[in-house]
Amino acid sequence: IIINPPYVKGQFISKKESFFETFKDDFGLSLRQNSNLYCYFIIALTTLLNPGGRSAILVPIELFNANFGEDIKNYLINKNYLKSVVFIDNKCNVFENAVTTSAVLFLEAPVDDSPYEITIHNVKNLTQLKDLSKTYTIKKKPEELLKIKKWSSLKENTKIVSDENSI
């Protein structure tokens, strides 16, 4: 499943109280009230994936640094969904006529509880998306990532690693 969910700041979600209540009832999870609408799409999407099912989600980089992003990062890591993140350099213009940062989450519904590492790629230009093995890359154990509040530091501390199985 590939999605580019809507980006709507939490304060602009209409019928906010009933929306939050319905979400909690349906998914058993409460997110911070300032969470962007795309956060709710990410959680809902995970329920649609069969074991081994995969998804790619285009999101703003703010997800990895904002306080509301902690809920999503923790959920995806604790449930073993997060496999890889691709940070796209801020200088890249992914969308014409829109000023935003971009990252791609690669999720995979867990089949078992086997230990794994999460791969973080840093793409300096859009042509690098064709071959992520040639990007600046870092691998982290899920428990290591849970300790990092803002992931922007991961964008700066990467090296080129060649691994064709990175996503």
Side-chain angles (χ1 to χ4, degrees), residues 29-45:
L29 184 66
S30 291
L31 300 179
R32 297 171 203 214
Q33 293 208 358
N34 65 334
S35 295
N36 199 298
L37 187 60
Y38 61 78
C39 296
Y40 297 93
F41 273 77
I42 293 169
I43 300 298
L45 172 86

Side-chain angles (χ1 to χ4, degrees), residues 18-29 31 40 43-44:
S18 64
F19 176 80
F20 294 139
E21 191 175 305
T22 301
F23 186 85
K24 185 176 181 180
D25 290 344
D26 289 351
F27 298 101
L29 184 66
L31 300 179
Y40 297 93
I43 300 298

Side-chain angles (χ1 to χ4, degrees), residues 28-166:
L29 184 66
S30 291
L31 300 179
R32 297 171 203 214
Q33 293 208 358
N34 65 334
S35 295
N36 199 298
L37 187 60
Y38 61 78
C39 296
Y40 297 93
F41 273 77
I42 293 169
I43 300 298
L45 172 86
T46 64
T47 67
L48 300 175
L49 296 175
N50 292 325
R54 296 180 179 179
S55 179
I57 308 165
L58 187 62
V59 295
I61 290 176
E62 75 172 349
L63 173 66
F64 304 95
N65 297 316
N67 289 336
F68 69 78
E70 289 178 41
D71 298 332
I72 300 301
K73 293 183 296 189
N74 290 339
Y75 174 85
L76 294 175
I77 291 171
N78 287 325
K79 300 283 188 182
N80 295 333
Y81 280 100
L82 185 61
K83 302 304 178 203
S84 183
V85 178
V86 176
F87 289 115
I88 300 172
D89 191 280
N90 296 349
K91 295 176 188 140
C92 295
N93 187 15
V94 176
F95 298 105
E96 253 184 65
N97 303 319
V99 179
T100 187
T101 58
S102 299
V104 181
L105 293 173
F106 288 95
L107 309 181
E108 184 175 338
V111 177
D112 56 35
D113 291 335
S114 299
Y116 71 99
E117 290 184 314
I118 298 169
T119 306
I120 311 286
H121 296 280
N122 285 296
V123 171
K124 300 296 180 191
N125 61 62
L126 296 179
T127 58
Q128 287 184 315
L129 290 171
K130 294 178 184 175
D131 186 0
L132 292 176
S133 69
K134 295 180 181 168
T135 64
Y136 290 91
T137 304
I138 188 170
K139 291 187 178 216
K140 290 276 189 192
K141 292 180 180 174
E143 57 272 16
E144 293 174 316
L145 282 175
L146 286 172
K147 295 176 185 174
I148 302 171
K149 197 169 187 110
K150 296 185 185 272
W151 290 13
S152 56
S153 63
L154 297 172
K155 291 175 49 187
E156 298 147 11
N157 299 317
T158 57
K159 59 185 184 226
I160 294 180
V161 190
S162 182
D163 180 7
E164 64 278 356
N165 296 320
S166 59

